[in-house]
Amino acid sequence: MERLDKLLAATGTWSRKEAKALVKAGRVRVAGELPKGPEDKVAPGTPVTVDGRPIVTEKYVYVMLHKPAGVISSTEDPRQRTVLSLLPKELQRLGLFPVGRLDKDTEGLLLLTNDGPLAHQLLAPGKHVDKVYYVEVDGLLEDEDRQAFHQGLTLADGTRCLPAELEILTPASQGLVTLREGKYHQVKRMLAARGKPVTYLKRLSMGPLTLDPTLERGAWRPLNPEEREELGRK
Ligand code: URA
């Protein structure tokens, strides 16, 4: 159980004093009811609204974003639009960061959270979390490309990649790539090494998390309880 004013202040949107004032002004509802005062105790998971808008009351926040092309996977930048700028102001104040990066022109699944240990768990080199990308290339993918991916490619600069999967789709200019690591521009560099430059790239999944097909480009939603559970965060 947490004090209502403390819980409101923990969202990063209001100070403790402002939170008290909000409650006293009757702008806050707890499970749909008017609270008695700022010191009311609230059980974890109870819906709390301010002016009818739900607030996030958990310590850690997990957001699935369908990253569009043209925004960078950083939290701030003086000139370019960032993935964080696609989220509402309340969420921008919670210290969320993207778990791994997608290139500016890459679309698809991006998880944003303020849960540092989870990010470590998903990104640490030894953890080998599968990431699946849909790819379009200039040229046609062949079984030799698939075998080269499977054996572990060497990039133009001599970097060796772990074995990866390439599934060739129809038409053969399209494929699905599964990686267990995340080197800089990895999919593009792997396909460049095969002489088939990437013309379009979209991440479809990361570990147990799959891009929600109902999310339009640029849209986001909180992870649902099943997704959090699959990430070991319930
Ligand atoms: N590989 C790339 O080349 N770019 C990305 O954004 C992700 C994986």
PDB file of all heavy atoms in Angstrom, residues 69 112 122 128 135 142 152 195 206 209 223:
ATOM      1  N   ALA A  69      10.134   5.050 -39.516  1.00  0.00           N
ATOM      2  CA  ALA A  69      11.392   5.550 -40.068  1.00  0.00           C
ATOM      3  C   ALA A  69      11.466   7.055 -39.786  1.00  0.00           C
ATOM      4  O   ALA A  69      10.432   7.711 -39.618  1.00  0.00           O
ATOM      5  CB  ALA A  69      11.439   5.284 -41.561  1.00  0.00           C
ATOM      6  N   LEU A 112      10.520   0.369 -24.807  1.00  0.00           N
ATOM      7  CA  LEU A 112      11.062   1.445 -23.970  1.00  0.00           C
ATOM      8  C   LEU A 112      10.685   1.152 -22.530  1.00  0.00           C
ATOM      9  O   LEU A 112       9.549   0.757 -22.253  1.00  0.00           O
ATOM     10  CB  LEU A 112      10.487   2.801 -24.392  1.00  0.00           C
ATOM     11  CG  LEU A 112      10.969   3.264 -25.766  1.00  0.00           C
ATOM     12  CD1 LEU A 112       9.813   3.453 -26.703  1.00  0.00           C
ATOM     13  CD2 LEU A 112      11.745   4.551 -25.647  1.00  0.00           C
ATOM     14  N   LEU A 122      18.099  -8.324 -21.568  1.00  0.00           N
ATOM     15  CA  LEU A 122      17.772  -8.516 -22.983  1.00  0.00           C
ATOM     16  C   LEU A 122      18.953  -8.192 -23.908  1.00  0.00           C
ATOM     17  O   LEU A 122      18.998  -8.682 -25.031  1.00  0.00           O
ATOM     18  CB  LEU A 122      16.574  -7.647 -23.377  1.00  0.00           C
ATOM     19  CG  LEU A 122      15.226  -8.066 -22.778  1.00  0.00           C
ATOM     20  CD1 LEU A 122      14.169  -7.014 -23.048  1.00  0.00           C
ATOM     21  CD2 LEU A 122      14.777  -9.415 -23.332  1.00  0.00           C
ATOM     22  N   HIS A 128      21.968 -13.881 -25.640  1.00  0.00           N
ATOM     23  CA  HIS A 128      21.484 -14.439 -26.916  1.00  0.00           C
ATOM     24  C   HIS A 128      19.972 -14.408 -27.084  1.00  0.00           C
ATOM     25  O   HIS A 128      19.335 -15.428 -27.318  1.00  0.00           O
ATOM     26  CB  HIS A 128      21.984 -15.870 -27.100  1.00  0.00           C
ATOM     27  CG  HIS A 128      23.478 -15.957 -27.105  1.00  0.00           C
ATOM     28  ND1 HIS A 128      24.272 -15.028 -27.725  1.00  0.00           N
ATOM     29  CD2 HIS A 128      24.323 -16.862 -26.553  1.00  0.00           C
ATOM     30  CE1 HIS A 128      25.540 -15.363 -27.557  1.00  0.00           C
ATOM     31  NE2 HIS A 128      25.604 -16.458 -26.838  1.00  0.00           N
ATOM     32  N   VAL A 135      13.025  -8.222 -43.940  1.00  0.00           N
ATOM     33  CA  VAL A 135      13.978  -7.461 -44.739  1.00  0.00           C
ATOM     34  C   VAL A 135      13.621  -7.523 -46.223  1.00  0.00           C
ATOM     35  O   VAL A 135      13.088  -8.532 -46.686  1.00  0.00           O
ATOM     36  CB  VAL A 135      15.409  -8.006 -44.448  1.00  0.00           C
ATOM     37  CG1 VAL A 135      15.596  -9.416 -44.937  1.00  0.00           C
ATOM     38  CG2 VAL A 135      16.476  -7.137 -45.006  1.00  0.00           C
ATOM     39  N   GLU A 142      19.241 -16.216 -51.979  1.00  0.00           N
ATOM     40  CA  GLU A 142      19.418 -17.588 -52.458  1.00  0.00           C
ATOM     41  C   GLU A 142      19.799 -18.497 -51.310  1.00  0.00           C
ATOM     42  O   GLU A 142      20.221 -18.023 -50.255  1.00  0.00           O
ATOM     43  CB  GLU A 142      20.547 -17.626 -53.503  1.00  0.00           C
ATOM     44  CG  GLU A 142      20.206 -16.857 -54.759  1.00  0.00           C
ATOM     45  CD  GLU A 142      21.459 -16.536 -55.552  1.00  0.00           C
ATOM     46  OE1 GLU A 142      22.297 -15.764 -55.051  1.00  0.00           O
ATOM     47  OE2 GLU A 142      21.587 -17.082 -56.649  1.00  0.00           O
ATOM     48  N   GLY A 152      27.657 -18.485 -39.998  1.00  0.00           N
ATOM     49  CA  GLY A 152      28.288 -17.356 -39.292  1.00  0.00           C
ATOM     50  C   GLY A 152      29.113 -16.560 -40.290  1.00  0.00           C
ATOM     51  O   GLY A 152      30.180 -17.009 -40.720  1.00  0.00           O
ATOM     52  N   GLY A 195      26.366  -9.038 -50.976  1.00  0.00           N
ATOM     53  CA  GLY A 195      26.139  -8.277 -52.212  1.00  0.00           C
ATOM     54  C   GLY A 195      24.675  -7.964 -52.466  1.00  0.00           C
ATOM     55  O   GLY A 195      24.274  -7.740 -53.608  1.00  0.00           O
ATOM     56  N   MET A 206      11.500  -9.461 -30.480  1.00  0.00           N
ATOM     57  CA  MET A 206      12.699  -9.465 -29.645  1.00  0.00           C
ATOM     58  C   MET A 206      12.402 -10.395 -28.482  1.00  0.00           C
ATOM     59  O   MET A 206      11.508 -10.099 -27.678  1.00  0.00           O
ATOM     60  CB  MET A 206      12.982  -8.052 -29.139  1.00  0.00           C
ATOM     61  CG  MET A 206      14.255  -7.974 -28.352  1.00  0.00           C
ATOM     62  SD  MET A 206      14.756  -6.268 -28.049  1.00  0.00           S
ATOM     63  CE  MET A 206      13.539  -5.784 -26.886  1.00  0.00           C
ATOM     64  N   LEU A 209       8.785 -11.016 -27.138  1.00  0.00           N
ATOM     65  CA  LEU A 209       7.943  -9.862 -27.461  1.00  0.00           C
ATOM     66  C   LEU A 209       7.784  -9.712 -28.972  1.00  0.00           C
ATOM     67  O   LEU A 209       8.777  -9.620 -29.688  1.00  0.00           O
ATOM     68  CB  LEU A 209       8.653  -8.629 -26.913  1.00  0.00           C
ATOM     69  CG  LEU A 209       7.829  -7.501 -26.368  1.00  0.00           C
ATOM     70  CD1 LEU A 209       6.918  -8.004 -25.261  1.00  0.00           C
ATOM     71  CD2 LEU A 209       8.759  -6.417 -25.841  1.00  0.00           C
ATOM     72  N   LEU A 223       2.973  -2.578 -22.301  1.00  0.00           N
ATOM     73  CA  LEU A 223       2.943  -4.036 -22.407  1.00  0.00           C
ATOM     74  C   LEU A 223       1.778  -4.551 -21.584  1.00  0.00           C
ATOM     75  O   LEU A 223       1.462  -4.000 -20.530  1.00  0.00           O
ATOM     76  CB  LEU A 223       4.231  -4.653 -21.858  1.00  0.00           C
ATOM     77  CG  LEU A 223       5.519  -4.410 -22.635  1.00  0.00           C
ATOM     78  CD1 LEU A 223       6.602  -5.364 -22.127  1.00  0.00           C
ATOM     79  CD2 LEU A 223       5.337  -4.578 -24.132  1.00  0.00           C
TER      80      LEU A 223
END
